[in-house]
Amino acid sequence: MREALFIKQNSERWKQYELNKSKDPDELADSFISITDDLAYAKTFYPNSKTTQYLNGLASGFHQSIYRNKKEKTNRFITFWQTELPLIFYKHRRQLLYSFAFFMIFCLIGMLSAMYDDTFVRLILGNEYVNMTNDNIAKGDPFGVYKFGNSGWMFAAIAANNIFVELRMYALGILCSVGTVYNLMQNGLMLGSFQYYFFSKGLGLQSVLVIWIHGTLEISALVLSGAAGLIMGNSLLFPKTYKRLVSLKRGALDGLKIAIGIVPIFLVAAFLEGYVTRHTEMPMAASIAILATSFTFIIWYVLLYPAMLNKKLNLLETDIDETSF
């Protein structure tokens, strides 16, 4: 079709689109589709003409109108955990790796220290806890500590303590990340020596099946807390192209979102410790099922899902760029 005939057949419709843009989302979408069809045809047969330029501008205007008037379809509360938090995990995946690496190194140091120094476990865990656990082992109930007290009060106390610890770990990131690393060291040394203590008593497998019922989520969230602090601290140390204060604000906000976003993980971990871990004689299959579910959730939500979501959004942005010309 010659360009003149193409213009003659469609010019009136284009003028109507240009002069009478509807505010109805469905009508805007229909008009946008129609214009992009015409634009695709024009780019194919008249790539360098003014008609193509005109249609490109018209399509861009419709695109902006659609996305400017687009209403939020889901609640902000839901989208935070569904989209925003996973994308922050992906954006700061390097800090997540650093936090995990620091924590594991300190765990290894704690384990080796307990292995070669008999007094190290008492130094880290305290004489009272070690003596009590030794008594429980002698009674044939090595994990009896989890059976003391009311489940509800235990849940509330553990949840409050863990959330306080994670917020402190995040806040100490302001000390150029040193405070956060120090907290990771404290907790890593404690976990390493604690776990070695049970292995040295011949209770390694049993300790994993009991303690890690809640520990899988609790320790994972602790590492994420460390990442939140490192994000804030590193934004102060390495502002890149931003002014240092601007970089700090951005890092502090992303870190705070992680610190707030993982509170439900701490709550679930506290619930498991208060209500489930105390059942130390539960079937092995039940323990393994809880451990596997917790581990799978962390791997999926913190690593796999954020990467998939980021890839999906990049593809969507590419498609939008191609259609909006």
Side-chain angles (χ1 to χ4, degrees):
M1 183 187 301
R2 291 184 177 181
E3 184 177 359
L5 181 57
F6 176 68
I7 295 173
K8 182 178 180 181
Q9 289 181 348
N10 298 289
S11 60
E12 288 299 323
R13 178 166 52 86
W14 298 340
K15 288 180 181 179
Q16 290 179 3
Y17 288 159
E18 186 176 7
L19 297 175
N20 302 305
K21 285 184 180 178
S22 172
K23 293 184 179 180
D24 181 81
D26 292 331
E27 290 184 17
L28 280 173
D30 290 340
S31 301
F32 179 62
I33 293 172
S34 178
I35 287 297
T36 53
D37 286 343
D38 291 340
L39 178 57
Y41 184 89
K43 286 179 69 68
T44 301
F45 295 101
Y46 330 113
N48 300 316
S49 72
K50 292 183 178 180
T51 302
T52 303
Q53 295 176 12
Y54 167 76
L55 290 173
N56 183 55
L58 193 57
S60 297
F62 270 102
H63 179 267
Q64 293 174 6
S65 296
I66 290 171
Y67 283 88
R68 183 173 60 247
N69 294 308
K70 183 180 179 181
K71 295 181 179 179
E72 190 70 37
K73 293 182 178 180
T74 53
N75 190 285
R76 178 71 173 79
F77 185 81
I78 296 173
T79 57
F80 174 74
W81 277 279
Q82 186 178 48
T83 304
E84 189 171 352
L85 184 59
L87 289 177
I88 292 175
F89 286 149
Y90 185 82
K91 175 183 177 183
H92 297 290
R93 57 194 181 280
R94 183 171 296 178
Q95 283 76 16
L96 291 176
L97 177 61
Y98 292 159
S99 180
F100 177 76
F102 278 129
F103 188 76
M104 292 306 298
I105 289 171
F106 292 130
C107 279
L108 181 61
I109 293 173
M111 183 189 71
L112 292 175
S113 298
M115 184 183 300
Y116 292 105
D117 184 354
D118 294 338
T119 65
F120 188 77
V121 172
R122 290 183 176 273
L123 176 66
I124 297 297
L125 301 180
N127 287 320
E128 182 179 353
Y129 179 83
V130 174
N131 291 336
M132 177 187 63
T133 304
N134 284 337
D135 290 341
N136 287 336
I137 292 174
K139 296 175 184 176
D141 189 14
F143 307 104
V145 65
Y146 296 105
K147 299 177 181 179
F148 293 135
N150 176 271
S151 294
W153 282 109
M154 191 173 180
F155 159 71
I158 292 169
N161 177 72
N162 287 346
I163 292 172
F164 170 76
V165 169
E166 72 111 352
L167 291 176
R168 181 182 63 188
M169 187 174 292
Y170 157 70
L172 287 175
I174 194 65
L175 302 176
C176 299
S177 294
V178 174
T180 297
V181 174
Y182 178 74
N183 265 209
L184 286 170
M185 181 188 71
Q186 287 181 312
N187 287 278
L189 292 176
M190 184 179 296
L191 178 62
S193 59
F194 174 81
Q195 196 64 73
Y196 174 78
Y197 170 73
F198 284 104
F199 271 88
S200 68
K201 300 293 184 179
L203 297 166
L205 177 60
Q206 190 176 350
S207 71
V208 171
L209 293 175
V210 174
I211 298 169
W212 287 87
I213 284 176
H214 65 271
T216 303
L217 292 178
E218 184 178 290
I219 297 303
S220 298
L222 194 67
V223 171
L224 294 175
S225 304
L230 292 178
I231 290 168
M232 177 163 62
N234 288 4
S235 69
L236 180 61
L237 289 171
F238 311 109
K240 297 182 180 179
T241 59
Y242 297 100
K243 292 183 178 179
R244 198 171 298 276
L245 181 59
V246 173
S247 176
L248 176 60
K249 289 180 179 179
R250 290 167 60 90
L253 181 59
D254 281 353
L256 181 60
K257 288 179 179 179
I258 290 179
I260 294 173
I262 62 177
V263 166
I265 298 178
F266 277 116
L267 292 177
V268 174
F271 175 84
L272 291 173
E273 186 170 358
Y275 288 93
V276 181
T277 303
R278 63 176 51 238
H279 301 291
T280 57
E281 303 301 326
M282 73 168 58
M284 181 183 294
S287 295
I288 293 175
I290 295 173
L291 291 174
T293 300
S294 299
F295 180 76
T296 300
F297 167 75
I298 291 296
I299 295 298
W300 175 78
Y301 187 68
V302 177
L303 300 177
L304 300 181
Y305 176 62
M308 294 166 55
L309 185 61
N310 181 74
K311 182 178 179 180
K312 181 179 179 181
L313 290 179
N314 284 339
L315 290 174
L316 180 60
E317 288 177 1
T318 300
D319 290 341
I320 290 175
D321 289 341
E322 290 176 351
T323 57
S324 62
F325 305 96

